[in-house]
């Protein structure tokens, strides 16, 4: 996942280059206009998924709408999550359901009622490298569940997350390279294996004046953290880190895809390429 940009970053970031000597430039390649309340996500082929809670639109890499699907009957939308380039999951926090759509936004199978998986108040989900399952966080009841929606494979379930981790508030979860990560915006990133076993905790190596982290990504052994409109690249195996100022204000979500960085603001998704200078 996103290895090209990771290698590009770490080739200058983790071999002793000082922060003061780092020079870089941003080049904008695309903008997509959104309403402030729209949900947005993107897959590896750079198809964009945008929803206003009533419909989902699938846009191609140039921003042109290719497919549209009504989701009125699926309940209030909380998350759009590409499982892969052929499947999208729609999570309704209002109805506590997962609904699946194919690459043309046609309903893929029956929706899953999370109560059937003993999940009462799901708040966050993320896709898995195994396309028949999704991770679901019930923060109120402090549980983490890997929901399997095909076959007879038992679900992974972790109870009492708050007691185990002393977590404050999980703001984002993601599975990357068969590792599951939970971001606590004020404390750090918790790492689990695919069996739900706690592996490691990565605290933030950031200036105390910065606000809490609002989003993150992982590539190899590096964390990418979005904090106070700054992208921070931090090693998970050393104390090295870099701070990179973003080219637009008000960024609250980002994705790193195919050597490009997609930045979400309230009104726009921006596609940028980042170049490091001699």
């Amino acid at each position: 996942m996103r290895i090209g940009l990771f290698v590009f970053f770490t080739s200058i970031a983790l071999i002793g280059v000082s922060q003061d000597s780092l020079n870089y430039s941003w080049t904008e390649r695309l903008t997509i206009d959104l309403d402030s309340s729209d949900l947005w996500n993107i897959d590896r082929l750079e198809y964009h998924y945008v929803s206003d809670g009533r419909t989902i639109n699938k846009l191609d890499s140039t921003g042109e709408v290719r497919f549209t699907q009504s989701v009125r009957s699926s309940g209030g939308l909380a998350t759009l999550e590409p499982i892969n380039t052929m499947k999208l999951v729609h999570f309704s926090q209002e109805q506590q359901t997962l609904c699946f759509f194919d690459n043309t936004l046609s309903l893929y199978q029956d929706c899953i009622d999370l109560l059937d998986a003993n999940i009462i108040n799901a708040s966050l989900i993320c896709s898995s490298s195994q396309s028949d399952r999704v991770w679901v966080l019930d923060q109120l009841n402090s549980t983490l569940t890997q929901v399997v929606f095909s076959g007879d494979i038992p679900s992974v379930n972790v109870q009492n997350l708050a007691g185990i981790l002393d977590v404050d508030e999980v703001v984002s979860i993601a599975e990357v390279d068969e590792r599951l990560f939970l971001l606590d915006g004020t404390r750090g990133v918790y790492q689990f294996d695919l069996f739900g076993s706690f592996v490691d905790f990565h605290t933030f190596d950031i200036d105390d004046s910065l606000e809490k982290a609002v989003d993150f990504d992982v590539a190899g052994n590096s964390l990418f953290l979005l904090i106070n409109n700054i992208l921070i690249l931090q090693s998970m195996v050393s104390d090295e880190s870099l701070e990179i100022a973003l080219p637009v204000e008000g960024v609250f979500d980002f994705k790193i895809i195919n050597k490009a960085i997609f930045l979400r603001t309230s009104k726009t998704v921006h596609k940028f390429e980042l170049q490091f200078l001699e």
Side-chain angles (χ1 to χ4, degrees):
M1 161 168 162
R2 303 137 176 158
I3 295 301
L5 187 57
F6 166 68
V7 171
F8 191 41
F9 268 144
T10 53
S11 67
I12 60 91
L14 302 180
I15 57 173
V17 174
S18 70
Q19 184 74 52
D20 292 341
S21 64
L22 180 63
N23 293 307
Y24 54 88
S25 66
W26 295 92
T27 302
E28 189 162 30
R29 298 301 186 190
L30 176 72
T31 61
I32 297 174
D33 293 333
L34 304 175
D35 289 335
S36 59
S37 60
D38 285 348
L39 289 172
W40 164 81
N41 213 326
I42 186 172
D43 66 21
R44 294 195 310 273
L45 296 180
E46 297 188 24
Y47 281 100
H48 301 260
Y49 302 89
V50 180
S51 178
D52 59 4
R54 301 181 298 276
T55 61
I56 300 173
N57 291 314
K58 182 175 181 178
L59 288 64
D60 64 20
S61 60
T62 69
E64 293 295 320
V65 176
R66 295 303 180 187
F67 301 99
T68 298
Q69 178 64 256
S70 171
V71 289
R72 289 178 183 272
S73 62
S74 300
L77 183 62
T79 304
L80 284 172
E81 181 78 4
I83 294 178
N84 51 42
T85 58
M86 301 297 290
K87 189 187 296 185
L88 177 76
V89 60
H90 164 291
F91 165 53
S92 170
Q93 189 169 5
E94 177 184 85
Q95 294 192 4
Q96 292 289 289
T97 55
L98 301 175
C99 296
F100 302 89
F101 299 88
D102 66 15
N103 62 333
T104 66
L105 296 186
S106 299
L107 198 62
Y108 184 79
Q109 62 187 66
D110 291 339
C111 297
I112 293 175
D113 189 333
L114 290 174
L115 188 60
D116 293 338
N118 298 315
I119 300 170
I120 300 172
N121 193 18
S123 53
L124 294 171
I125 72 162
C126 74
S127 60
S128 171
S129 57
Q130 302 169 90
S131 61
D132 62 344
R133 56 201 70 188
V134 172
W135 289 100
V136 180
L137 177 71
D138 181 340
Q139 193 147 229
L140 183 63
N141 294 291
S142 195
T143 61
L144 176 67
T145 305
Q146 187 188 63
V147 176
V148 182
F149 43 86
S150 64
D152 298 321
I153 302 170
S155 297
V156 173
N157 187 265
V158 182
Q159 303 282 341
N160 191 28
L161 274 177
I164 296 171
L165 305 179
D166 190 29
V167 66
D168 182 16
E169 180 186 7
V170 178
V171 297
S172 183
I173 63 175
E175 184 192 311
V176 182
D177 298 332
E178 299 187 345
R179 300 170 295 172
L180 180 67
F181 298 91
L182 279 65
L183 170 65
D184 183 322
T186 60
R187 293 175 53 82
V189 175
Y190 298 89
Q191 180 180 338
F192 293 78
D193 64 21
L194 295 190
F195 301 100
S197 299
F198 176 68
V199 174
D200 205 353
F201 173 66
H202 308 287
T203 188
F204 297 147
D205 180 22
I206 60 174
D207 190 312
D208 290 340
S209 65
L210 293 178
E211 299 175 1
K212 70 177 184 179
V214 297
D215 198 12
F216 81 109
D217 205 342
V218 177
N221 288 316
S222 286
L223 287 171
F224 297 85
L225 301 164
L226 176 58
I227 304 177
N228 199 27
N229 224 74
I230 294 173
L231 188 64
I232 296 176
L233 171 61
Q234 179 173 313
S235 171
M236 292 190 288
V237 295
S238 73
D239 59 358
E240 293 174 289
S241 64
L242 280 175
E243 295 183 10
I244 300 173
L246 296 180
V248 292
E249 294 294 326
V251 177
F252 63 88
D253 187 9
F254 77 101
K255 309 291 181 187
I256 301 173
I257 306 286
N258 301 332
K259 300 184 181 181
I261 303 179
F262 294 82
L263 305 175
R264 169 73 196 277
T265 67
S266 64
K267 296 291 187 180
T268 311
V269 171
H270 303 264
K271 177 182 179 179
F272 280 96
E273 292 179 359
L274 176 62
Q275 181 180 7
F276 290 95
L277 309 174
E278 295 293 337

